[in-house]
Amino acid sequence: MSKIFISHCEADKPVVKGLVQMIRNVCDLTREEIFCTSIVGMGCTAGNIFNEEIRHNFKESTIIVALLTKNYKFSEFCMAELGASWISKEEKRFIPLIDSDVNYDFFKGVLVGVHELKIDRNIDLSQLCNIICEELGKEKRLDVSLDEVNSFLENYPTNKSNCPTPFLCTEADWQKMIDEKNTIEEDYNAACNVIKEQKAYIKELQLLKDATEVASLAKKMNQSEIDEFQECVDAVICERSNFDRPVFKFVVYNLLNLGDPYLDEYDWSQLSKATSSKILKRNSDEQYYVNYDNLHVKDLSKALDTYVEMVQSADDEIRDFYSKKLNVDFDIENSEFNDKMLDL
């Protein structure tokens, strides 16, 4: 049964192999006396359940040597072993061995107040071997001890360089990368939209018949969002030619669900005339209402639907532009806004 349990991260295998070899040679240990999952013949047996075998060997061991590295810190499995080692320290000898690029405060938590050895210090490695020999009742091989420790330290930098480095960053650095990622995604989506528009433009060009149609399409492609919005507004105003001005305002207000507009006596007389053209109807209470079946009303309603959609989806640039231009809140439910925008 294993007597020494090497708690480590698989990513640190090059260093672990050198460490185990040093311990075996100095303390005169067999392969069976050390449990180390990263070394063939010292780890889990084929066919056994991995987690169960690790737990069993941990329970049966008398010494826990934990190689504490950055890779170890960011492994949930390793940190579970560290917690178990701390809980079991009254029953087992727990020896934390700190990596060269890790300071004593890096792990904190369960290691507060615990004496830790450094893996790159000759005297600490000698102390590690002394503790193991004393706990297991082994005679330290003084004839090879110094050579083995020096050999490990000589090979340590190379072995260390062969261990992958975990991804580390501060919360601020992480947020910065997230922001950069979002910016790149926005730029990418914007570029995709441009490509999509250009493909549609090319497709439309292939269907055009003469230079006039080409010029018209080019104008459409080059217009700004404000120009496009104004074109939508002009389309509504253009429908006014089919109505007397008061009637137009009355119909627009009703189609936009703004209620009846304020009209003077003359304007109301114009509404009366609109009943003959079947733009409006009048009920038994002498109240006027819009005839939605009228062709002119349908055309105006269609233009207003586009207008409403454009107002509701307008970006900040369009909202700021027209709010300042009209000196009124940019709001589809604002009667004053619609009066000025549609020249009612």
Side-chain angles (χ1 to χ4, degrees), residues 228-237 248 252-253 255-256 258 299-314 318-319 322 326 328-344:
E228 185 179 359
F229 184 85
Q230 187 59 51
E231 191 174 275
C232 165
V233 172
D234 292 341
V236 175
I237 296 175
F248 179 73
V252 168
Y253 264 57
L255 291 176
L256 294 180
L258 299 175
D299 290 341
L300 175 57
S301 179
K302 185 177 180 180
L304 280 172
D305 286 344
T306 303
Y307 165 73
V308 170
E309 182 179 344
M310 292 285 282
V311 170
Q312 292 176 336
S313 62
I318 293 176
R319 291 176 177 276
Y322 282 103
L326 303 177
V328 67
D329 290 339
F330 191 98
D331 184 357
I332 192 65
E333 296 181 0
N334 184 352
S335 299
E336 186 180 5
F337 165 75
N338 291 295
D339 285 348
K340 292 184 177 181
M341 182 63 76
L342 301 176
D343 191 23
L344 299 179

Side-chain angles (χ1 to χ4, degrees), residues 212-244:
T212 302
E213 291 184 350
V214 172
S216 176
L217 178 59
K219 179 181 178 182
K220 175 183 176 182
M221 290 299 295
N222 292 326
Q223 68 180 170
S224 68
E225 291 184 355
I226 291 177
D227 291 335
E228 185 179 359
F229 184 85
Q230 187 59 51
E231 191 174 275
C232 165
V233 172
D234 292 341
V236 175
I237 296 175
C238 184
E239 294 296 326
R240 191 171 60 193
S241 62
N242 298 314
F243 303 84
D244 288 327

Side-chain angles (χ1 to χ4, degrees), residues 236 239-240 242-261 263 268 270-271 274-275 277-281 288-302 304 342 344:
V236 175
E239 294 296 326
R240 191 171 60 193
N242 298 314
F243 303 84
D244 288 327
R245 194 178 187 90
V247 176
F248 179 73
K249 185 174 183 177
F250 182 88
V251 174
V252 168
Y253 264 57
N254 277 267
L255 291 176
L256 294 180
N257 295 316
L258 299 175
D260 290 339
L263 300 173
W268 282 105
Q270 298 301 307
L271 296 187
T275 57
S277 58
K278 298 184 179 180
I279 291 175
L280 301 180
K281 291 184 177 181
Y288 294 101
Y289 61 96
V290 177
N291 178 13
Y292 297 103
D293 294 327
N294 183 272
L295 291 179
H296 294 317
V297 172
K298 287 183 177 181
D299 290 341
L300 175 57
S301 179
K302 185 177 180 180
L304 280 172
L342 301 176
L344 299 179

Side-chain angles (χ1 to χ4, degrees), residues 60-75:
E60 296 299 322
S61 63
T62 56
I63 300 173
I64 309 295
V65 177
L67 177 56
L68 305 179
T69 66
K70 290 180 179 178
N71 287 319
Y72 191 104
K73 173 71 175 286
F74 293 96
S75 165

Side-chain angles (χ1 to χ4, degrees), residues 82-96:
L82 181 61
S85 300
W86 179 76
I87 292 174
S88 307
K89 66 180 181 178
E90 305 236 348
E91 306 166 5
K92 307 176 186 298
R93 187 62 185 266
F94 173 51
I95 310 173

